[in-house]
Amino acid sequence: MLVLITYDVSTISDGGTRRLRVVAKKCEDYGVRVQNSVFECIVDATQLKKLEIELEELIDPTVDSLRFYILGNNHKRKVNHIGAKPSLDVEGPLIF
């Protein structure tokens, strides 16, 4: 299933810049960055739960936030891209 993950990490708090970098790196392990703090990830239910737990452990919940938008398996008709940067096929080979 496709899951859209967004995060807001406070970089003005202690360790914020490091948390931001670590959260982005963890999301890269599961998906593709489509905007600054937005990742598209193709995962199953177990991988999603694991990712949620891992990300929760990385953030400071008093100042940071995470959002998970579960778009499901029929996601191709649910995502419209307009504007700069070509849209990536997150299910295809990721060769840059």
Side-chain angles (χ1 to χ4, degrees):
M1 73 179 124
L2 177 66
V3 178
L4 188 72
I5 300 171
T6 67
Y7 54 84
D8 187 13
V9 175
S10 173
T11 56
I12 57 172
S13 63
D14 285 344
T17 302
R18 181 191 170 282
R19 283 194 317 277
L20 178 65
R21 192 173 48 252
V22 173
V23 167
K25 185 72 178 156
K26 180 56 63 183
C27 289
E28 287 174 348
D29 290 345
Y30 288 86
V32 175
R33 183 190 299 258
V34 291
Q35 292 194 350
N36 285 342
S37 297
V38 181
F39 281 79
E40 290 181 350
C41 303
I42 298 290
V43 292
D44 60 29
T46 304
Q47 291 171 318
L48 176 58
K49 192 63 188 169
K50 183 176 182 230
L51 178 57
E52 286 176 358
I53 292 168
E54 290 173 347
L55 288 174
E56 269 187 73
E57 291 173 351
L58 297 176
I59 67 166
D60 177 348
T62 61
V63 292
D64 305 332
S65 65
L66 297 164
R67 287 182 176 258
F68 299 86
Y69 299 91
I70 300 169
L71 300 174
N73 291 323
N74 298 321
H75 57 82
K76 290 189 178 183
R77 295 177 13 181
K78 296 178 182 175
V79 178
N80 250 355
H81 174 85
I82 299 171
K85 293 185 180 177
S87 182
L88 294 173
D89 178 8
V90 293
E91 291 183 300
L94 298 176
I95 301 171
F96 298 99

